[in-house]
CSV table of all heavy atoms in Angstrom, one decimal:
chain,number,residue,atom,x,y,z
I,1,ILE,N,2.2,16.2,-1.6
I,1,ILE,CA,1.3,15.2,-2.3
I,1,ILE,C,0.9,14.1,-1.3
I,1,ILE,O,1.8,13.5,-0.7
I,1,ILE,CB,1.9,14.6,-3.5
I,1,ILE,CG1,2.2,15.8,-4.5
I,1,ILE,CG2,1.2,13.5,-4.1
I,1,ILE,CD1,3.2,15.2,-5.7
I,2,GLY,N,-0.5,13.9,-1.2
I,2,GLY,CA,-0.9,12.9,-0.2
I,2,GLY,C,-1.3,11.6,-1.1
I,2,GLY,O,-1.8,11.8,-2.1
I,3,ILE,N,-0.8,10.6,-0.6
I,3,ILE,CA,-1.2,9.2,-1.2
I,3,ILE,C,-1.8,8.3,-0.2
I,3,ILE,O,-1.3,8.1,0.9
I,3,ILE,CB,0.1,8.4,-1.7
I,3,ILE,CG1,1.1,9.3,-2.6
I,3,ILE,CG2,-0.2,7.1,-2.2
I,3,ILE,CD1,0.6,9.4,-4.0
I,4,GLN,N,-3.0,7.9,-0.5
I,4,GLN,CA,-3.8,6.9,0.3
I,4,GLN,C,-3.4,5.5,-0.2
I,4,GLN,O,-3.7,5.2,-1.3
I,4,GLN,CB,-5.3,7.2,0.4
I,4,GLN,CG,-5.6,8.6,0.8
I,4,GLN,CD,-7.1,8.7,0.5
I,4,GLN,OE1,-7.9,7.9,0.5
I,4,GLN,NE2,-7.5,10.1,0.5
I,5,SER,N,-2.8,4.7,0.6
I,5,SER,CA,-2.4,3.5,0.2
I,5,SER,C,-3.2,2.3,0.7
I,5,SER,O,-2.9,1.4,1.5
I,5,SER,CB,-0.9,3.1,0.4
I,5,SER,OG,-0.7,3.1,1.8
I,6,HIS,N,-4.5,2.4,0.5
I,6,HIS,CA,-5.5,1.5,0.9
I,6,HIS,C,-5.2,0.2,0.0
I,6,HIS,O,-5.4,0.3,-1.2
I,6,HIS,CB,-7.0,1.9,0.8
I,6,HIS,CG,-7.2,3.1,1.7
I,6,HIS,ND1,-7.3,3.0,3.0
I,6,HIS,CD2,-7.6,4.4,1.4
I,6,HIS,CE1,-7.6,4.2,3.5
I,6,HIS,NE2,-7.8,5.0,2.5
I,7,GLN,N,-4.9,-0.8,0.6
I,7,GLN,CA,-4.5,-2.1,-0.2
I,7,GLN,C,-5.6,-3.1,-0.2
I,7,GLN,O,-5.3,-4.4,0.0
I,7,GLN,CB,-3.2,-2.5,0.3
I,7,GLN,CG,-2.2,-1.4,0.1
I,7,GLN,CD,-0.7,-1.8,0.9
I,7,GLN,OE1,-0.4,-2.9,0.8
I,7,GLN,NE2,-0.2,-0.9,1.4
I,8,HIS,N,-6.8,-2.7,-0.3
I,8,HIS,CA,-8.0,-3.7,-0.2
I,8,HIS,C,-7.8,-4.6,-1.6
I,8,HIS,O,-8.3,-5.8,-1.4
I,8,HIS,CB,-9.2,-3.0,-0.3
I,8,HIS,CG,-9.4,-2.1,0.9
I,8,HIS,ND1,-9.7,-2.5,2.1
I,8,HIS,CD2,-9.5,-0.8,0.9
I,8,HIS,CE1,-9.9,-1.6,2.9
I,8,HIS,NE2,-9.7,-0.5,2.2
I,9,GLN,N,-7.3,-4.2,-2.6
I,9,GLN,CA,-7.1,-5.1,-3.7
I,9,GLN,C,-5.8,-5.8,-3.9
I,9,GLN,O,-5.6,-6.2,-5.0
I,9,GLN,CB,-7.3,-4.2,-5.0
I,9,GLN,CG,-8.7,-3.5,-5.0
I,9,GLN,CD,-8.9,-2.4,-6.1
I,9,GLN,OE1,-7.9,-1.9,-6.6
I,9,GLN,NE2,-10.1,-2.0,-6.4
I,10,GLY,N,-5.0,-5.8,-2.8
I,10,GLY,CA,-3.9,-6.5,-2.8
I,10,GLY,C,-2.7,-5.7,-2.2
I,10,GLY,O,-2.7,-4.6,-2.3
I,11,TYR,N,-1.8,-6.4,-1.6
I,11,TYR,CA,-0.8,-5.9,-1.0
I,11,TYR,C,0.2,-5.3,-2.1
I,11,TYR,O,0.5,-5.9,-3.1
I,11,TYR,CB,0.0,-7.0,-0.2
I,11,TYR,CG,1.4,-6.6,0.4
I,11,TYR,CD1,1.4,-5.6,1.5
I,11,TYR,CD2,2.6,-7.1,0.1
I,11,TYR,CE1,2.5,-5.2,2.0
I,11,TYR,CE2,3.8,-6.7,0.6
I,11,TYR,CZ,3.8,-5.8,1.6
I,11,TYR,OH,5.0,-5.4,2.1
I,12,TRP,N,0.7,-4.0,-1.8
I,12,TRP,CA,1.5,-3.3,-2.7
I,12,TRP,C,2.9,-3.9,-2.9
I,12,TRP,O,3.4,-4.1,-4.0
I,12,TRP,CB,1.6,-1.8,-2.3
I,12,TRP,CG,0.5,-1.1,-2.7
I,12,TRP,CD1,-0.7,-1.4,-3.0
I,12,TRP,CD2,0.5,0.4,-2.8
I,12,TRP,NE1,-1.6,-0.3,-3.3
I,12,TRP,CE2,-0.7,0.9,-3.1
I,12,TRP,CE3,1.4,1.2,-2.6
I,12,TRP,CZ2,-1.1,2.2,-3.3
I,12,TRP,CZ3,1.1,2.7,-2.7
I,12,TRP,CH2,-0.1,3.0,-3.0
I,13,GLY,N,3.5,-4.2,-1.7
I,13,GLY,CA,4.9,-4.8,-1.8
I,13,GLY,C,5.9,-3.6,-2.1
I,13,GLY,O,5.4,-2.4,-2.4
I,14,LYS,N,7.1,-3.9,-1.9
I,14,LYS,CA,8.2,-2.9,-2.2
I,14,LYS,C,8.2,-2.5,-3.6
I,14,LYS,O,8.5,-1.2,-3.8
I,14,LYS,CB,9.5,-3.7,-1.8
I,14,LYS,CG,10.7,-2.6,-1.8
I,14,LYS,CD,12.0,-3.4,-1.5
I,14,LYS,CE,13.2,-2.4,-1.6
I,14,LYS,NZ,14.4,-3.1,-1.8
I,15,GLU,N,8.0,-3.2,-4.5
I,15,GLU,CA,8.1,-2.8,-5.8
I,15,GLU,C,7.1,-1.7,-6.2
I,15,GLU,O,7.4,-0.6,-6.9
I,15,GLU,CB,8.0,-3.9,-6.9
I,15,GLU,CG,9.2,-5.0,-6.9
I,15,GLU,CD,9.1,-5.9,-5.7
I,15,GLU,OE1,8.0,-6.0,-5.0
I,15,GLU,OE2,10.2,-6.4,-5.3
I,16,LYS,N,5.8,-1.9,-5.8
I,16,LYS,CA,4.7,-1.0,-6.1
I,16,LYS,C,5.0,0.3,-5.3
I,16,LYS,O,4.8,1.4,-5.9
I,16,LYS,CB,3.4,-1.6,-5.8
I,16,LYS,CG,2.2,-0.7,-5.6
I,16,LYS,CD,1.5,-0.3,-6.9
I,16,LYS,CE,0.3,0.6,-6.7
I,16,LYS,NZ,-0.4,0.8,-8.0
I,17,LEU,N,5.4,0.2,-4.1
I,17,LEU,CA,5.6,1.3,-3.3
I,17,LEU,C,6.7,2.2,-3.9
I,17,LEU,O,6.6,3.5,-4.1
I,17,LEU,CB,6.1,1.0,-1.8
I,17,LEU,CG,6.5,2.1,-0.9
I,17,LEU,CD1,5.2,2.9,-0.6
I,17,LEU,CD2,7.0,1.5,0.4
I,18,GLU,N,7.8,1.6,-4.4
I,18,GLU,CA,9.0,2.3,-5.1
I,18,GLU,C,8.4,3.0,-6.3
I,18,GLU,O,8.9,4.1,-6.8
I,18,GLU,CB,10.1,1.4,-5.3
I,18,GLU,CG,10.9,1.0,-4.0
I,18,GLU,CD,11.9,0.1,-4.2
I,18,GLU,OE1,12.0,-0.6,-5.3
I,18,GLU,OE2,12.8,-0.1,-3.2
I,19,GLU,N,7.6,2.3,-7.1
I,19,GLU,CA,7.0,2.7,-8.4
I,19,GLU,C,6.2,4.0,-8.1
I,19,GLU,O,6.3,5.0,-8.9
I,19,GLU,CB,6.3,1.6,-9.0
I,19,GLU,CG,5.7,2.0,-10.4
I,19,GLU,CD,4.2,2.4,-10.4
I,19,GLU,OE1,3.5,1.9,-9.5
I,19,GLU,OE2,4.0,3.3,-11.1
I,20,VAL,N,5.3,4.0,-7.1
I,20,VAL,CA,4.5,5.1,-6.8
I,20,VAL,C,5.4,6.3,-6.4
I,20,VAL,O,5.3,7.4,-6.8
I,20,VAL,CB,3.5,4.8,-5.7
I,20,VAL,CG1,2.9,6.0,-5.2
I,20,VAL,CG2,2.5,3.8,-6.3
I,21,LEU,N,6.3,6.0,-5.5
I,21,LEU,CA,7.3,7.1,-5.1
I,21,LEU,C,8.0,7.6,-6.3
I,21,LEU,O,8.2,9.0,-6.4
I,21,LEU,CB,8.3,6.7,-4.0
I,21,LEU,CG,7.7,6.3,-2.6
I,21,LEU,CD1,8.8,5.6,-1.8
I,21,LEU,CD2,7.3,7.6,-2.0
I,22,GLU,N,8.5,6.9,-7.2
I,22,GLU,CA,9.3,7.3,-8.3
I,22,GLU,C,8.3,8.2,-9.3
I,22,GLU,O,8.8,9.3,-9.7
I,22,GLU,CB,9.8,6.1,-9.2
I,22,GLU,CG,10.5,6.5,-10.4
I,22,GLU,CD,11.9,7.2,-10.1
I,22,GLU,OE1,12.5,6.9,-9.0
I,22,GLU,OE2,12.2,7.9,-11.1
I,23,ARG,N,7.2,7.8,-9.4
I,23,ARG,CA,6.2,8.5,-10.4
I,23,ARG,C,5.9,9.8,-9.8
I,23,ARG,O,5.8,10.8,-10.6
I,23,ARG,CB,5.0,7.7,-10.8
I,23,ARG,CG,5.2,6.6,-11.7
I,23,ARG,CD,3.9,6.1,-12.3
I,23,ARG,NE,3.1,5.5,-11.4
I,23,ARG,CZ,1.9,5.9,-11.0
I,23,ARG,NH1,1.4,7.0,-11.6
I,23,ARG,NH2,1.2,5.4,-10.1
I,24,PHE,N,5.6,10.0,-8.6
I,24,PHE,CA,5.1,11.2,-7.9
I,24,PHE,C,6.4,12.1,-7.4
I,24,PHE,O,6.1,13.3,-7.1
I,24,PHE,CB,4.2,11.0,-6.8
I,24,PHE,CG,2.9,10.5,-7.3
I,24,PHE,CD1,2.7,9.1,-7.4
I,24,PHE,CD2,1.9,11.3,-7.8
I,24,PHE,CE1,1.4,8.6,-7.9
I,24,PHE,CE2,0.7,10.8,-8.3
I,24,PHE,CZ,0.5,9.5,-8.5
I,25,SER,N,7.6,11.6,-7.4
I,25,SER,CA,8.7,12.4,-7.0
I,25,SER,C,9.1,13.5,-8.0
I,25,SER,O,9.7,14.5,-7.6
I,25,SER,CB,9.9,11.5,-6.6
I,25,SER,OG,10.4,11.0,-7.8
I,26,HIS,N,8.7,13.4,-9.2
I,26,HIS,CA,9.3,14.4,-10.2
I,26,HIS,C,8.5,15.7,-10.1
I,26,HIS,O,8.9,16.7,-10.5
I,26,HIS,CB,8.9,13.8,-11.6
I,26,HIS,CG,7.5,13.9,-12.1
I,26,HIS,ND1,6.6,12.9,-11.8
I,26,HIS,CD2,6.9,14.8,-12.7
I,26,HIS,CE1,5.4,13.2,-12.5
I,26,HIS,NE2,5.6,14.4,-13.0
I,27,PHE,N,7.5,15.8,-9.1
I,27,PHE,CA,6.8,17.0,-8.9
I,27,PHE,C,7.7,17.8,-7.9
I,27,PHE,O,7.4,19.1,-7.8
I,27,PHE,CB,5.4,16.9,-8.3
I,27,PHE,CG,4.4,16.3,-9.3
I,27,PHE,CD1,3.9,15.0,-9.2
I,27,PHE,CD2,4.0,17.1,-10.5
I,27,PHE,CE1,3.1,14.5,-10.1
I,27,PHE,CE2,3.1,16.6,-11.3
I,27,PHE,CZ,2.6,15.2,-11.1
I,28,GLY,N,8.5,17.2,-7.2
I,28,GLY,CA,9.5,18.0,-6.3
I,28,GLY,C,8.9,18.4,-5.1
I,28,GLY,O,9.4,19.2,-4.4
I,29,LEU,N,7.8,17.7,-4.7
I,29,LEU,CA,7.0,18.0,-3.5
I,29,LEU,C,7.2,16.9,-2.4
I,29,LEU,O,7.4,15.6,-2.9
I,29,LEU,CB,5.6,18.2,-3.7
I,29,LEU,CG,5.2,19.5,-4.6
I,29,LEU,CD1,3.8,19.5,-4.9
I,29,LEU,CD2,5.6,20.8,-3.7
I,30,PRO,N,7.1,17.2,-1.1
I,30,PRO,CA,7.2,16.0,-0.3
I,30,PRO,C,6.0,15.1,-0.5
I,30,PRO,O,4.9,15.6,-1.0
I,30,PRO,CB,7.0,16.7,1.1
I,30,PRO,CG,7.4,18.1,1.0
I,30,PRO,CD,7.0,18.5,-0.5
I,31,ILE,N,6.1,13.7,-0.3
I,31,ILE,CA,5.0,12.8,-0.5
I,31,ILE,C,4.7,12.3,0.9
I,31,ILE,O,5.5,11.8,1.6
I,31,ILE,CB,5.4,11.6,-1.5
I,31,ILE,CG1,5.8,12.3,-2.9
I,31,ILE,CG2,4.3,10.6,-1.5
I,31,ILE,CD1,6.5,11.4,-3.7
I,32,HIS,N,3.4,12.4,1.2
I,32,HIS,CA,2.9,11.8,2.5
I,32,HIS,C,2.0,10.7,2.3
I,32,HIS,O,1.0,10.8,1.4
I,32,HIS,CB,2.1,12.9,3.2
I,32,HIS,CG,2.9,14.0,3.6
I,32,HIS,ND1,2.7,14.6,4.9
I,32,HIS,CD2,3.9,14.9,3.1
I,32,HIS,CE1,3.6,15.7,5.0
I,32,HIS,NE2,4.2,15.7,4.0
I,33,PHE,N,2.3,9.5,2.9
I,33,PHE,CA,1.3,8.4,2.8
I,33,PHE,C,0.3,8.7,4.0
I,33,PHE,O,0.6,8.6,5.2
I,33,PHE,CB,2.0,7.1,3.0
I,33,PHE,CG,2.6,6.6,1.7
I,33,PHE,CD1,4.0,7.1,1.5
I,33,PHE,CD2,2.1,6.0,0.7
I,33,PHE,CE1,4.7,6.7,0.3
I,33,PHE,CE2,2.7,5.7,-0.4
I,33,PHE,CZ,4.0,6.0,-0.6
I,34,THR,N,-0.9,9.2,3.6
I,34,THR,CA,-1.8,9.8,4.6
I,34,THR,C,-2.6,8.7,5.2
I,34,THR,O,-3.1,8.9,6.4
I,34,THR,CB,-2.7,10.9,4.0
I,34,THR,OG1,-3.3,10.4,2.8
I,34,THR,CG2,-1.7,12.1,3.5
I,35,GLU,N,-3.0,7.7,4.5
I,35,GLU,CA,-4.0,6.7,5.0
I,35,GLU,C,-3.4,5.4,4.4
I,35,GLU,O,-3.0,5.2,3.3
I,35,GLU,CB,-5.3,6.9,4.4
I,35,GLU,CG,-5.9,8.2,4.9
I,35,GLU,CD,-7.3,8.4,4.3
I,35,GLU,OE1,-8.0,7.4,4.1
I,35,GLU,OE2,-7.7,9.5,4.0
I,36,ASN,N,-3.2,4.4,5.3
I,36,ASN,CA,-2.7,3.0,4.9
I,36,ASN,C,-3.7,1.9,5.5
I,36,ASN,O,-4.1,2.1,6.7
I,36,ASN,CB,-1.3,2.8,5.5
I,36,ASN,CG,-0.4,3.8,5.0
I,36,ASN,OD1,0.0,3.8,3.8
I,36,ASN,ND2,0.0,4.8,5.8
I,37,THR,N,-4.0,1.0,4.7
I,37,THR,CA,-4.8,-0.1,5.2
I,37,THR,C,-4.3,-1.4,4.6
I,37,THR,O,-3.9,-1.5,3.4
I,37,THR,CB,-6.3,-0.1,4.5
I,37,THR,OG1,-6.9,1.2,4.8
I,37,THR,CG2,-7.2,-1.2,5.0
I,38,LEU,N,-3.8,-2.3,5.5
I,38,LEU,CA,-3.4,-3.5,5.0
I,38,LEU,C,-4.4,-4.6,5.4
I,38,LEU,O,-5.0,-4.6,6.6
I,38,LEU,CB,-2.1,-3.9,5.8
I,38,LEU,CG,-1.0,-3.0,5.4
I,38,LEU,CD1,0.3,-3.4,6.4
I,38,LEU,CD2,-0.5,-3.1,4.0
I,39,ILE,N,-4.8,-5.4,4.5
I,39,ILE,CA,-5.7,-6.5,4.8
I,39,ILE,C,-4.9,-7.7,5.0
I,39,ILE,O,-4.2,-8.2,4.3
I,39,ILE,CB,-6.6,-6.6,3.6
I,39,ILE,CG1,-7.4,-5.5,3.2
I,39,ILE,CG2,-7.7,-7.8,3.8
I,39,ILE,CD1,-8.3,-4.8,4.4
I,40,ILE,N,-5.2,-8.4,6.1
I,40,ILE,CA,-4.5,-9.7,6.5
I,40,ILE,C,-5.6,-10.8,6.4
I,40,ILE,O,-6.6,-10.7,7.1
I,40,ILE,CB,-3.9,-9.6,7.8
I,40,ILE,CG1,-2.9,-8.5,7.9
I,40,ILE,CG2,-3.3,-10.9,8.3
I,40,ILE,CD1,-2.3,-8.2,9.3
I,41,ARG,N,-5.3,-11.8,5.6
I,41,ARG,CA,-6.3,-12.9,5.6
I,41,ARG,C,-5.6,-14.0,6.4
I,41,ARG,O,-4.6,-14.4,6.1
I,41,ARG,CB,-6.4,-13.3,4.2
I,41,ARG,CG,-7.3,-12.3,3.4
I,41,ARG,CD,-7.7,-12.8,2.0
I,41,ARG,NE,-8.6,-11.9,1.3
I,41,ARG,CZ,-8.2,-10.9,0.7
I,41,ARG,NH1,-7.1,-10.4,0.8
I,41,ARG,NH2,-9.2,-10.1,0.1
I,42,ILE,N,-6.4,-14.5,7.4
I,42,ILE,CA,-6.0,-15.7,8.1
I,42,ILE,C,-6.7,-16.8,7.8
I,42,ILE,O,-8.0,-16.8,7.7
I,42,ILE,CB,-6.0,-15.2,9.7
I,42,ILE,CG1,-5.2,-14.0,9.9
I,42,ILE,CG2,-5.6,-16.4,10.5
I,42,ILE,CD1,-5.3,-13.5,11.3
I,43,ARG,N,-6.1,-17.9,7.6
I,43,ARG,CA,-6.9,-19.1,7.4
I,43,ARG,C,-7.6,-19.5,8.6
I,43,ARG,O,-7.1,-19.5,9.7
I,43,ARG,CB,-5.9,-20.3,7.1
I,43,ARG,CG,-5.3,-20.2,5.7
I,43,ARG,CD,-4.5,-21.4,5.4
I,43,ARG,NE,-3.3,-21.0,4.6
I,43,ARG,CZ,-2.2,-21.6,4.7
I,43,ARG,NH1,-1.9,-22.7,5.4
I,43,ARG,NH2,-1.2,-21.2,3.9
I,44,PRO,N,-8.8,-19.9,8.4
I,44,PRO,CA,-9.6,-20.4,9.5
I,44,PRO,C,-8.9,-21.6,10.2
I,44,PRO,O,-8.4,-22.5,9.5
I,44,PRO,CB,-10.9,-20.8,9.1
I,44,PRO,CG,-10.8,-20.7,7.5
I,44,PRO,CD,-9.5,-20.1,7.2
I,45,VAL,N,-9.0,-21.7,11.5
I,45,VAL,CA,-8.3,-22.8,12.2
I,45,VAL,C,-9.5,-23.6,12.9
I,45,VAL,O,-10.4,-23.1,13.5
I,45,VAL,CB,-7.5,-22.2,13.3
I,45,VAL,CG1,-7.0,-23.4,14.2
I,45,VAL,CG2,-6.3,-21.5,12.8
I,46,ILE,N,-9.5,-24.9,12.7
I,46,ILE,CA,-10.6,-25.7,13.2
I,46,ILE,C,-10.0,-26.3,14.6
I,46,ILE,O,-9.0,-26.9,14.6
I,46,ILE,CB,-11.0,-26.9,12.4
I,46,ILE,CG1,-11.6,-26.4,11.1
I,46,ILE,CG2,-11.9,-27.9,13.0
I,46,ILE,CD1,-11.7,-27.3,10.0
I,47,LEU,N,-10.7,-25.9,15.6
I,47,LEU,CA,-10.3,-26.4,16.9
I,47,LEU,C,-11.0,-27.6,17.3
I,47,LEU,O,-12.2,-27.7,17.2
I,47,LEU,CB,-10.6,-25.2,18.0
I,47,LEU,CG,-9.9,-23.9,17.8
I,47,LEU,CD1,-10.4,-22.9,18.9
I,47,LEU,CD2,-8.4,-24.1,18.0
I,48,ARG,N,-10.3,-28.6,17.7
I,48,ARG,CA,-10.8,-29.9,18.2
I,48,ARG,C,-10.6,-30.0,19.6
I,48,ARG,O,-9.6,-29.9,20.1
I,48,ARG,CB,-10.3,-31.0,17.3
I,48,ARG,CG,-10.4,-30.9,15.8
I,48,ARG,CD,-10.0,-32.0,15.1
I,48,ARG,NE,-10.4,-32.0,13.7
I,48,ARG,CZ,-9.6,-32.3,12.7
I,48,ARG,NH1,-8.5,-33.0,12.9
I,48,ARG,NH2,-10.0,-32.1,11.4
């Protein structure tokens, strides 16, 4: 089973990751995280 964990709508965190693994593990197949996207927001810095 392939899971794309594009996190454009927010960081999953450990709890969400474990919840997804738990829900899909009952199929008894390996789970592959095939695509991962993490969005990092950096506060703008004003250079003086």
Side-chain angles (χ1 to χ4, degrees):
I1 296 169
I3 304 281
Q4 299 173 26
S5 60
H6 298 293
Q7 299 175 39
H8 301 290
Q9 296 170 342
Y11 177 65
W12 280 18
K14 182 181 175 192
E15 293 79 21
K16 166 80 175 183
L17 181 64
E18 289 174 346
E19 182 263 329
V20 167
L21 287 170
E22 179 69 28
R23 280 194 302 114
F24 289 93
S25 67
H26 79 274
F27 292 108
L29 294 169
I31 298 171
H32 294 224
F33 284 89
T34 58
E35 300 176 35
N36 299 288
T37 305
L38 296 174
I39 303 297
I40 299 172
R41 289 187 173 81
I42 300 174
R43 287 189 217 148
V45 177
I46 299 172
L47 297 176
R48 295 187 178 146

